[in-house]
């Protein structure tokens, strides 16, 4: 692994210690969502609509209730309707009116798999048998899946009261288009007039799932006084608490949510599915209820990301300077509004310093599960299309694709189409690293081609609380609230140890539950190392300040006269040398005598999140007789700001790349004409397996974020943005044909090869 | 759900024949348990045949091999003599699923699951394998290509179980090979599977051949025209072109989530050629 | 229908449990024996998160019935370490950061242990194909493969 790091040398930051939660994970001791059990628990199961679109005339649960062993059944009647209200969920918005319908269908079943009822019974077998006894009277309605089809005026309507927002004048007829958004800079029409070359292309992508290996799971326990405990696998337990309290009409403090270890989320676990249902069942049954989704349920009924249609037009002068850029994005939202079309619009041209940009997006309903966030929501789709057109532009102008990007690269001071001016950013450094890399210079074999693409994600900060407890022996307990989805606890412990100048092993980080810590927004938006890190630093500095105060008290000198140097508290100024320096452990030992326990709190709304740019290089080999595309070499280069724990930064680069590769080559939801999902399992929903991938080389670039005490940028999402275009561009070089549709499955590629031969 | 594990096939056959509800044979379980989980089948009786010794052994017999129907893919791979004589059959069996699935899956199960895309079947057909079937009326022999008559439909009667498979003795300069096409590198159901078994004479001319094709028709096929394209030739480019054409012509595939009709036909032609070349090279070395 | 009474050896300890015919070995390990280290990622043998050794053979425990375990020897992730001493694979996984969320990790470790027992000097390609039945969505497999190859080297030294 290579690093291009020019920063200061820290004691702990930048090293690679073993993660504190590691031993439990390699021994099977760590507890994930389905690993928890409670005495007396019932098993909950969900009855799901077999139809993609149907009015629910009636639900008769009487036979199910009579089955011995069934303790409770819930339907739409157990959830009060919610008024329309948008709230943030990761980097997307959700609406409570939609959420209450998403977890339990009300007027209509809007996708195959939509929950219609749920039972809690003493065994799994009885619960499943009970589901079969529930009689639902459906009036089957025509359905629509594809977004372009759903936009047509005669398409079946999912919501008869949906009038497209963002259109002037507002439409008089309802449609499946929930929203139109637009981002403009300058004047694209004028820009295109100055262009000497214009390339316009249309791309189509299919919906893909986050593919976390751990299905959704929770255990809910409601007591007789209405207080409740919930154990769940989630990216944000305060969000779960808020949603459940809202949907069930409870005071927030009544519900205590503990996040289990999480077996992957990638955005898909930023929303609730089972939790409100399990709580409702538990309340009714007066017993704890455990609910676990099967893999099939995960695919049929949890939110994947959008499939989309994207049209991109770029105009440039012959010297390579892009003078105008335009895109129209049509994104599938699923059965409720809220696709990531807006962030997609924001990201589309972000790597380029442009004067004239216009990006328009449409959020479109269709009879599929409501999409949930998937790693850089919307970004990969928009960037796939744009980076493919930029590649074609480079080819047309006979300019090297890295050079073309360097000529137009966003840098400090560039105004992005979606508003902000960039602070220091590392795109140019990433492009240069790509140019100088061994990969870029390596020779290619027969039937092989090389592609390059840039990527961008803006990253977020947000509400974050961290508590640091100074224990009596000078060790520290760190309570964070952003669930650790891939090494966070190591990074937080490292930052705390670096600040407090104590060994890394003396810090024990945990993820606290909602009753034990102040509010935390969820883990998403690549924010956890950035925000929880910032809060950790603040909490650590508070401990130091308090410890200085305690030393001052003991020495009877003013607090300002105490310094903290090399891990020791020393009297300074005129008192220098007068008292024995004290370590943090010394201070901790007498904390009770000097005012009580020393606790540092960082309770912030983290500001200053900075974007992360990346550049990926992919080599593909295409079998010209079968159209099979193999990835034979891959390098992921990205600006991390500061890599706190480089192994976990590399891991994010590699994991995002692998997901992007799967999205490019084989992953897609396949629907039959009946609107039913044909591949709800890992057999036919094909994520990359170990033998599909080469080693994924990484290069960490560091352009520190000046707004973070250690220069951290969020890095988790950017890596999924470049792969699809990098591979698409590589395939172009391998077979001489540009493809405009994902996935690049062998039948499509072979068909293109054959058509090209005939032509 | 009843579970029985008799120690003779006659007993197993009796249990199956007299079952009133849906009764299933359990060998490796790598198809049955998946179908039970998704409630495609809900048997009232499961008959585990793995305690019957003849289903679990590999023996040299009459110059050929007798392979128990419940011998696992992993065990086939570990049998050096079988692998040397029938690399194509062993390779085909070893392509079923993952390493974990290989620890359990069997030739009997792969065939009797009745999937047109079964990995081992085209190679077994090419090998000329014959199944020994135990049933209420005693024992009989069935050529492997006659066992499946359509998707999930077997020619076996109620109560009949495959005990073992016989692979015939190998003439000199004989070799087989198997290739399949899948979109990833592992873990997928075959989009096309091709097994080629051929024998050369001392001058390098092909004097016998059998070609099996899978996943391109309602059941795995024995493609006699493909064999004819090779017999009497030195398996040169012209013969291979004829082989490809015959393979293509034999396909009656469907469009499904794993491949289109056009794609399967194209790939069948490509795989037939590539598989024959591997078999040829192996045969030349024998 | 009466339950089956199963006696087996799990991680060198004799165990007993009751199960219905349709309960898989995975269900029994997790629900009857409280050994939740083996995970259910798919229930259909496609993800490998439930991998165990059954009489020394690497299998998906979701594809074995609990009743089939009678009289058999089963090794799960919980038996991989010896007291406080981690198996070299476990140690190398930590050193190489070969896990992010960790849900696939028990299955991968058991599968890798089976690989090295059979082939103490696998190539990268052999390792990748052996582990193709263990899905990981977080790591892209790179650090997993490096950790396995490094553990193999270390174990060959110690052998």
């Amino acid at each position: 692994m290579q690093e291009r790091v020019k920063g200061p040398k820290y004691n702990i930051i930048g090293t690679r210690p073993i993660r504190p939660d590691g031993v439990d994970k390699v021994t099977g001791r760590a507890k994930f969502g389905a690993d928890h059990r409670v005495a007396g628990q019932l098993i909950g199961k969900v009855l799901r609509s077999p139809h993609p679109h149907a009015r629910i005339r009636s639900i008769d649960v009487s036979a199910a209730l009579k089955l011995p062993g069934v303790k409770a059944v819930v339907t739409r009647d157990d959830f009060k309707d919610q008024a329309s209200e948008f709230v943030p969920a990761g980097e997307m918005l959700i609406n409570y009116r939609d959420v209450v319908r998403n977890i339990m269908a009300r007027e209509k079943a809007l996708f195959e798999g939509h929950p219609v009822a749920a039972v809690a019974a003493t065994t799994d077998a009885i619960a499943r048998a009970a589901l079969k006894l529930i009689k639902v009277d459906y009036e089957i309605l025509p359905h629509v899946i594809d977004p372009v089809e759903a936009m047509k005026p005669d398409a079946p309507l999912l919501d008869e009261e949906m009038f497209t927002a963002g259109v002037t004048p507002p439409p008089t007829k309802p449609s499946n288009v929930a929203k139109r958004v637009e981002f403009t800079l300058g004047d694209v029409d004028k820009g295109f007039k100055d262009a000497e070359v214009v390339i316009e292309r249309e791309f189509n992508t299919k919906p893909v799932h986050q593919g976390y290996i751990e299905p959704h799971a929770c255990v809910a326990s409601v007591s007789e006084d209405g207080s409740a405990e919930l154990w769940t696998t989630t990216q944000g337990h305060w969000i779960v608490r808020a949603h459940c309290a809202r949907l069930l009409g409870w005071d927030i403090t009544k519900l205590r949510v503990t996040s289990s270890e999480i077996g992957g989320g990638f955005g898909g676990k930023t929303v609730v599915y089972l939790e409100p249902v399990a709580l409702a069942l538990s309340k009714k049954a007066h017993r704890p209820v455990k609910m676990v989704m099967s893999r099939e349920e995960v695919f049929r009924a949890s939110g994947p990301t959008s499939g989309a249609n994207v049209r991109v037009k770029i105009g440039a002068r012959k010297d390579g300077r892009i003078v105008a850029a335009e895109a129209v994005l049509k994104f599938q939202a699923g059965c409720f509004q809220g696709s990531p079309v807006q962030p997609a619009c924001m990201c589309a041209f972000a790597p380029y310093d442009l004067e004239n940009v216009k990006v328009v997006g449409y959020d479109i309903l269709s009879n599929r599960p409501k999409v949930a966030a998937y790693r850089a929501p919307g970004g990969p789709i928009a960037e796939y299309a744009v980076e493919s057109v930029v590649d074609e532009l480079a080819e047309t102008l006979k300019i090297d694709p890295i050079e073309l990007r360097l000529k137009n690269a966003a840098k400090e001071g560039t105004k992005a189409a979606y508003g902000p001016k960039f602070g220091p950013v590392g795109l140019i450094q990433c492009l240069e690293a790509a140019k100088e890399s061994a990969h870029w210079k390596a020779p290619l074999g027969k039937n092989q081609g090389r592609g390059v693409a840039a990527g961008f994600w803006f990253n977020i900060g947000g509400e974050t609380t961290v508590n640091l407890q100074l224990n009596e022996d000078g060790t520290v307990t760190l309570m964070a609230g952003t669930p650790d989805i891939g090494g966070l606890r190591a990074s937080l412990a490292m930052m705390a140890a670096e600040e407090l100048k104590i060994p890394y092993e003396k810090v024990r980080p945990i993820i606290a539950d909602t009753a034990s810590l102040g509010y935390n927004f969820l883990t998403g938006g690549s924010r956890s190392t950035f925000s929880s890190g910032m809060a950790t630093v603040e909490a650590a500095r508070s401990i130091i300040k308090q410890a200085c105060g305690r030393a001052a008290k003991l020495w009877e000198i003013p607090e300002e006269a105490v310094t903290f140097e090399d891990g020791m508290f020393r009297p300074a100024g005129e008192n220098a040398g007068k008292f024995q320096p004290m370590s943090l452990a010394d201070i901790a030992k007498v904390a009770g005598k000097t005012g009580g326990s020393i606790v540092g709190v960082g309770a912030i709304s983290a500001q200053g999140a900075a974007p992360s740019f990346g550049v990926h290089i992919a080599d593909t080999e295409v079998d010209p007789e079968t159209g099979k595309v193999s990835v034979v070499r891959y390098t992921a280069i990205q600006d991390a700001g500061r890599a706190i724990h480089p192994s976990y930064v590399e891991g994010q680069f590699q994991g995002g790349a692998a997901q992007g590769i799967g999205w490019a080559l084989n992953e897609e939801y396949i629907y039959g004409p009946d609107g039913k999902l044909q591949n709800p399992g890992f057999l036919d929903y094909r994520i990359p397996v170990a033998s599909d991938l080469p080693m994924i080389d990484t290069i960490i670039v560091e352009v520190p974020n000046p707004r973070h005490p250690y220069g951290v940028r969020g890095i988790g999402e950017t890596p999924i943005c470049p792969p699809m275009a990098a591979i698409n561009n590589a395939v172009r070089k391998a077979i001489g044909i540009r493809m405009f549709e994902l996935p690049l499955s062998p039948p499509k590629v072979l068909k293109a090869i054959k058509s090209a031969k005939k032509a | 759900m009843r579970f029985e594990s008799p120690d003779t096939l006659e007993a197993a056959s009796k249990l199956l024949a007299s079952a009133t509800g849906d009764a299933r044979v359990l060998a490796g379980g790598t198809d049955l348990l998946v179908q039970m989980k998704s409630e495609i089948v809900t048997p009232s009786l499961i008959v585990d045949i793995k305690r019957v010794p003849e289903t679990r052994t590999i023996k040299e017999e009459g110059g050929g091999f007798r392979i128990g129907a419940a011998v696992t893919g992993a065990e086939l791979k570990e049998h050096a003599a079988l692998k040397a004589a029938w690399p194509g059959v062993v390779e085909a069996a070893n392509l079923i699923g993952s390493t974990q699935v290989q620890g359990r899956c069997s030739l009997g199960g792969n065939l009797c699951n009745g999937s047109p895309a079964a990995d081992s079947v085209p190679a077994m057909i090419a090998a000329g394998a014959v199944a020994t079937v135990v049933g209420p009326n005693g024992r009989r022999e069935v050529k492997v290509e006659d066992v499946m008559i359509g998707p999930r439909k077997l020619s076996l009667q109620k109560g009949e179980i495959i005990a073992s498979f016989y692979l015939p003795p190998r003439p000199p300069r004989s070799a087989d090979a198997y290739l399949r096409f899948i979109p990833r590198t592992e873990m997928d159901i075959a989009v096309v599977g091709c097994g080629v078994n051929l024998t050369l004479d001392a001058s390098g001319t092909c004097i016998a051949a059998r070609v099996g094709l899978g996943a391109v028709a309602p059941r795995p096929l024995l493609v006699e025209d493909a064999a004819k394209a090779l017999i009497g030739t030195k398996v040169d480019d012209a013969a291979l072109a004829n082989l490809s054409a015959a393979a293509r012509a034999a396909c009656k595939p469907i469009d499904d989530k794993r491949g289109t009709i056009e794609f399967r036909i194209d790939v069948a032609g490509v795989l037939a050629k590539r598989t024959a070349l591997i078999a040829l090279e192996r045969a030349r070395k024998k | 229908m009466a339950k089956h009474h199963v006696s087996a050896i799990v991680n060198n300890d004799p165990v007993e449990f009751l199960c219905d015919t349709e309960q898989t070995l995975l269900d029994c390990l997790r629900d009857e024996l409280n050994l939740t280290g083996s995970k259910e990622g798919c229930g259909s043998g496609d993800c490998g998160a439930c991998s165990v050794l059954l009489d020394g053979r690497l299998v998906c425990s979701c594809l074995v019935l609990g009743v089939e375990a009678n009289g058999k020897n089963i090794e799960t992730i919980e038996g991989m370490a010896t007291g406080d001493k981690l198996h070299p694979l476990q140690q190398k996984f930590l050193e190489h950061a070969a896990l992010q969320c960790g849900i696939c990790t028990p299955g991968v470790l058991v599968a890798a242990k089976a690989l090295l027992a059979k082939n103490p000097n696998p190539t990268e390609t052999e390792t990748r194909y052996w582990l193709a039945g263990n899905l990981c969505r977080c790591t892209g497999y790179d650090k997993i493969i490096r950790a396995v190859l490094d553990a193999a080297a270390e174990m060959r030294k110690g052998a």
Side-chain angles (χ1 to χ4, degrees):
Chain A
M1 305 294 155
Q2 308 161 57
E3 293 171 26
R4 294 165 72 92
V5 166
K6 285 174 277 205
K9 276 282 150 214
Y10 296 102
N11 291 325
I12 301 167
I13 304 288
T15 63
R16 300 172 188 251
I18 293 195
R19 61 195 280 177
D21 55 306
V23 167
D24 283 354
K25 289 196 167 166
V26 298
T27 55
R29 190 180 290 113
K31 285 178 67 170
F32 293 82
D35 297 336
H36 187 54
R37 59 196 294 185
V38 175
Q41 71 182 21
L42 302 170
I43 303 298
K45 286 256 171 276
V46 177
L47 180 68
R48 298 181 181 278
S49 166
H51 308 294
H53 197 193
R55 203 167 303 280
I56 301 173
R57 290 205 199 99
S58 65
I59 307 172
D60 178 2
V61 303
S62 53
L65 279 167
K66 292 203 196 90
L67 187 66
V70 172
K71 301 299 181 188
V73 178
V74 296
T75 66
R76 56 194 174 180
D77 297 333
D78 294 282
F79 296 94
K80 264 181 50 187
D81 202 353
Q82 299 287 325
S84 174
E85 179 183 339
F86 285 99
V87 291
E91 296 131 310
M92 296 167 46
L93 289 175
I94 56 161
N95 188 309
Y96 274 123
R97 187 185 171 278
D98 296 336
V99 174
V100 73
R101 284 163 175 76
N102 202 34
I103 57 140
M104 191 64 67
R106 290 185 94 79
E107 304 84 5
K108 294 204 279 185
L110 291 165
F111 60 95
E112 184 221 3
H114 200 162
V116 171
V119 309
T122 49
T123 71
D124 185 274
I126 294 174
R128 279 186 284 116
L131 293 184
K132 295 198 172 94
L133 296 174
I134 298 177
K135 296 187 200 31
V136 184
D137 184 11
Y138 293 106
E139 178 196 330
I140 297 177
L141 302 169
H143 66 274
V144 63
I145 304 272
D146 176 81
V148 173
E149 289 300 312
M151 283 180 92
K152 295 196 174 141
D154 56 348
L157 275 184
L158 275 80
D159 183 346
E160 287 90 6
E161 279 156 57
M162 179 64 68
F163 296 89
T164 312
V167 174
T168 330
T172 48
K173 275 184 65 188
S175 73
N176 290 320
V177 183
K179 193 164 75 160
R180 178 190 184 284
V181 293
E182 185 176 313
F183 295 88
T184 29
L185 209 55
D187 181 346
V188 285
D189 292 327
K190 179 167 169 299
F192 280 118
K193 288 207 183 71
D194 292 338
E196 293 171 298
V197 169
V198 175
I199 301 192
E200 183 170 2
R201 292 293 191 185
E202 188 169 328
F203 299 82
N204 284 294
T205 72
K206 289 273 161 62
V208 294
H209 195 272
Q210 301 83 347
Y212 33 85
I213 306 298
E214 179 205 26
H216 300 265
C218 68
V219 182
S221 185
V222 182
S223 303
E224 290 76 3
D225 66 350
S227 56
E229 309 254 330
L230 179 68
W231 163 278
T232 183
T233 173
T234 179
Q235 290 174 241
H237 34 318
W238 277 264
I239 302 293
V240 171
R241 185 181 71 169
H243 290 341
C244 291
R246 171 62 171 261
L247 293 171
L248 296 164
W250 295 351
D251 288 340
I252 283 178
T253 197
K254 284 294 203 183
L255 177 57
R256 178 178 190 177
V257 187
T258 303
S259 72
S260 67
E261 296 295 337
I262 175 173
F266 314 109
K269 291 181 179 162
T270 57
V271 291
V272 294
Y273 296 111
L274 298 175
E275 295 90 340
V277 177
L279 285 164
L281 282 168
S282 176
K283 186 166 165 63
K284 244 181 166 176
H286 309 290
R287 280 171 68 168
V289 176
K290 179 171 179 176
M291 297 186 78
V292 182
M293 276 199 200
S294 67
R295 176 53 50 187
E296 195 179 322
E297 287 180 290
V298 174
F299 275 116
R300 273 196 214 287
S302 71
T305 194
S306 310
N309 171 284
V310 181
R311 210 162 27 82
V312 172
K313 183 174 167 186
I314 299 184
R317 291 198 301 260
K318 289 222 185 80
D319 67 355
R321 189 86 184 99
I322 298 175
V323 292
E326 193 175 70
V328 178
L329 283 61
K330 295 174 183 163
F331 272 44
Q332 215 177 38
C335 60
F336 298 110
Q337 64 183 298
S339 76
V341 69
Q342 184 149 330
C345 290
M346 288 159 64
C347 288
F349 295 107
Y352 304 103
D353 186 7
L354 304 174
E355 269 180 47
N356 306 307
V357 184
K358 180 174 173 189
V359 189
V360 173
Y362 295 94
D363 187 37
I364 305 158
L365 302 185
S366 64
N367 291 109
R368 297 188 51 243
K370 158 98 184 54
V371 302
Y374 178 18
R375 202 166 197 161
I381 298 168
E383 296 176 52
Y384 149 68
V386 169
E387 291 298 298
S388 297
V389 173
V390 169
D391 192 68
E392 189 171 353
L393 183 65
E395 202 175 298
T396 307
L397 294 175
K398 298 201 184 9
I399 299 177
D400 172 275
I402 293 183
E403 286 307 322
L404 180 66
R405 289 177 173 88
L406 280 166
K407 273 190 212 288
N408 293 283
K411 51 192 185 293
E412 184 166 3
T414 297
K415 186 161 167 56
Y418 64 96
K421 256 205 187 127
F422 289 139
V425 287
L427 175 59
I428 290 175
Q429 290 86 335
C430 288
L431 288 164
E432 279 166 356
K435 207 163 89 166
E436 290 160 35
S437 67
H439 186 172
W440 190 248
K441 302 186 190 125
L444 284 161
K446 190 159 178 264
N447 294 323
Q448 293 184 353
R450 178 167 298 151
V452 66
F456 164 88
W457 190 252
F458 45 87
N459 303 324
I460 66 174
E463 274 188 271
T464 314
T465 312
V466 167
N467 273 16
L468 275 183
Q469 269 96 264
L470 179 61
N471 300 314
E472 317 91 274
D473 61 355
T475 61
V476 167
T477 303
L478 190 163
M479 297 167 77
T482 43
D484 181 352
I485 57 181
L488 170 74
R489 276 165 288 192
S491 299
L492 295 182
M494 290 165 78
M495 284 187 263
E498 187 77 49
E499 285 288 316
L500 296 170
K501 304 270 181 278
I502 58 177
Y504 167 77
E505 297 73 30
K506 301 289 185 185
V507 180
R508 184 184 184 170
I510 68 164
I511 304 297
D513 66 61
T514 59
S516 306
L517 186 61
Y519 186 87
N520 276 275
F521 192 56
L522 48 77
T523 294
S526 306
R527 73 177 216 94
S528 61
T529 304
F530 172 78
S531 310
S532 287
M534 196 183 261
T536 296
V537 169
E538 190 165 309
R541 292 179 184 175
S542 165
I543 285 190
I544 292 168
K545 185 166 195 300
Q546 291 177 65
C548 287
R550 302 303 177 92
K553 199 167 183 181
L554 284 166
W555 297 332
E556 293 172 344
I557 62 178
E559 194 180 306
E560 313 79 63
V562 179
T563 61
F564 178 63
E565 266 171 55
D566 303 322
M568 300 298 281
F569 294 87
R570 298 166 197 279
E574 57 185 23
N575 296 301
K578 282 207 189 126
F579 303 98
Q580 271 286 79
M582 295 178 77
S583 69
L584 198 60
D586 295 332
I587 304 235
K589 199 166 172 184
V590 296
K593 297 201 203 110
T594 56
S597 161
I598 297 178
V599 176
V601 178
I604 61 175
S605 185
Q607 303 294 307
S612 177
F613 280 100
V615 174
H616 288 196
I617 307 170
D619 288 354
T620 61
E621 184 174 309
V622 184
D623 183 333
E625 289 183 311
T626 65
K628 184 161 175 175
V629 179
S630 309
V631 179
V632 296
R633 187 165 178 175
Y634 202 95
T635 303
I637 304 158
Q638 192 179 330
D639 174 16
R642 174 92 55 218
I644 302 295
H645 191 311
S647 301
Y648 292 105
V649 172
E650 290 156 358
Q652 291 297 311
F653 292 5
Q654 293 166 332
Q659 285 180 313
I661 291 170
W663 198 332
L665 294 182
N666 276 310
E667 293 179 40
E668 59 177 316
Y669 270 49
I670 301 172
Y671 283 92
D674 56 2
K676 300 195 187 189
L677 182 62
Q678 292 185 343
N679 60 337
F682 280 130
L683 178 62
D684 289 307
Y685 183 86
R686 304 187 195 102
I687 75 172
V689 300
S691 44
D692 289 337
L693 299 175
M695 292 297 187
I696 300 172
D697 287 327
T698 59
I699 301 177
I700 302 177
V701 165
E702 288 189 343
V703 175
N705 172 10
R707 305 276 303 271
H708 186 278
Y710 287 107
V712 168
R713 287 174 199 272
I715 48 107
E717 289 167 286
T718 297
I720 199 177
C721 294
M724 289 123 77
I727 288 176
N728 207 32
N729 297 339
V731 168
R732 158 64 174 173
K733 293 288 193 303
I735 61 175
I737 303 165
R738 275 202 189 275
M739 303 291 292
F740 298 98
E741 206 182 306
L742 291 182
L744 295 168
S745 50
K748 284 191 203 130
V749 176
L750 184 62
K751 195 167 178 172
I753 292 174
K754 283 169 66 180
S755 310
K757 271 215 196 105
K758 285 200 199 115
Chain B
M1 199 182 287
R2 249 174 84 207
F3 179 89
E4 302 287 348
S5 55
D7 50 17
T8 67
L9 281 178
E10 285 69 19
S13 170
K14 242 203 186 110
L15 284 164
L16 291 167
S18 58
T20 42
D22 190 6
R24 297 280 167 153
V25 172
L26 175 65
T30 55
D31 284 317
L32 179 61
L33 269 69
V34 177
Q35 290 160 13
M36 283 166 60
K37 176 92 180 178
S38 52
E39 297 184 351
I40 294 175
V41 310
T42 310
S44 53
L45 166 65
I46 294 178
V47 180
D48 181 355
I49 59 168
K50 296 192 290 296
R51 282 188 52 221
V52 179
E54 72 173 300
T55 68
R56 296 280 301 126
T57 51
I58 305 174
K59 285 205 291 259
E60 304 203 25
E61 184 184 296
F65 287 92
R66 180 159 296 284
I67 307 171
V71 170
T72 68
E75 289 163 336
L76 292 172
K77 193 176 185 167
E78 287 162 0
H79 197 282
L82 180 65
K83 218 170 137 190
W86 294 101
V89 167
V90 175
E91 274 160 358
N94 289 152
L95 283 171
I96 302 170
S98 60
T99 311
Q100 288 87 343
V101 168
Q102 285 287 302
R104 302 286 284 173
C105 70
S106 65
L107 292 171
N110 197 228
L111 176 61
C112 293
N113 184 45
S115 166
D119 275 313
S120 66
V121 182
M124 291 286 273
I125 289 176
V130 176
T132 296
V133 175
V134 173
N137 300 322
R139 292 184 173 237
R140 65 187 182 99
E141 307 215 315
V142 186
K143 294 183 193 160
V144 164
E145 60 266 28
D146 292 333
V147 173
M148 249 191 83
I149 50 181
R152 307 230 177 273
K153 280 190 73 189
L154 307 179
S155 65
L156 302 183
Q157 300 307 308
K158 182 172 181 185
E160 287 194 306
I161 309 170
I162 296 184
S164 60
F165 297 96
Y166 184 69
L167 295 181
R170 295 307 256 141
R173 290 177 297 273
S174 297
D176 69 341
Y178 176 82
L179 285 179
R180 72 171 177 184
F181 181 86
I182 51 170
R184 292 182 289 184
T185 54
E186 275 287 329
M187 299 305 286
D188 290 325
I189 299 289
V191 178
V192 178
C194 180
V196 174
N197 178 23
L198 50 76
T199 302
L200 305 173
D201 71 9
S203 75
T205 306
C206 175
I207 51 171
R210 284 175 66 93
V211 177
L213 268 183
V216 294
R219 62 183 193 143
L221 303 172
L222 171 66
V223 188
E224 285 169 0
D225 286 345
K228 287 196 193 118
L230 294 177
I231 296 173
T233 77
K234 288 225 166 26
V235 193
D236 55 9
D237 285 348
L240 289 170
N242 289 335
L243 169 72
S244 284
R248 291 174 63 98
C251 294
K252 280 167 195 30
I254 54 170
D255 275 335
D256 72 5
K257 57 184 179 271
R258 299 181 184 129
T260 59
I261 291 171
E262 184 189 339
F263 183 72
R264 285 188 152 110
I265 293 174
D266 285 338
V267 174
V270 171
L271 283 192
K273 193 176 50 169
R274 293 179 181 181
T275 313
L277 283 170
I278 297 173
L280 176 71
E281 193 178 311
R282 286 176 176 164
R284 284 182 180 155
K285 292 199 185 116
K286 292 271 187 91
Chain C
M1 173 76 241
K3 290 190 186 242
H4 304 286
H5 178 248
V6 175
S7 301
I9 311 265
V10 177
N11 300 326
N12 292 320
D13 287 328
V15 301
E16 288 178 64
F17 57 87
L18 297 175
C19 66
D20 293 321
T21 301
E22 56 267 38
Q23 276 177 279
T24 64
L25 174 57
L26 178 65
D27 294 333
C28 296
L29 288 170
R30 290 179 57 84
D31 300 333
E32 308 306 329
L33 297 175
N34 271 317
L35 293 169
T36 56
S38 311
K39 310 296 180 192
E40 177 163 328
C42 70
S44 54
D46 298 309
C47 77
C50 66
S51 299
V52 301
L53 300 182
L54 181 65
D55 282 351
R57 187 69 81 183
L58 179 66
V59 300
C60 279
S61 57
C62 74
L63 294 183
V64 178
L65 292 176
V67 60
E68 292 184 271
N70 198 34
K72 301 260 192 297
N73 200 323
I74 296 153
E75 295 163 73
T76 72
I77 181 67
E78 287 93 343
M80 199 151 159
T82 316
D84 274 350
K85 194 161 184 300
L86 295 177
H87 188 282
L89 279 165
Q90 291 170 306
Q91 184 61 36
K92 289 298 176 186
F93 267 55
L94 292 176
E95 288 169 17
H96 283 266
L99 57 145
Q100 288 179 33
C101 81
I103 192 81
C104 74
T105 306
V108 176
L109 283 169
V110 170
K113 180 173 146 184
L115 167 64
L116 299 185
K118 209 177 160 68
N119 178 358
N121 194 1
T123 63
E124 179 191 332
T125 304
E126 286 169 333
T127 306
R128 286 184 181 278
Y129 275 88
W130 181 275
L131 293 177
N134 289 87
L135 300 184
C136 174
R137 196 56 161 165
C138 291
T139 67
Y141 306 102
D142 183 297
K143 292 180 188 297
I144 290 176
I145 302 298
R146 290 180 200 273
V148 174
L149 295 174
D150 194 8
E154 172 145 323
M155 287 166 71
R156 288 195 302 275
K157 262 195 280 178

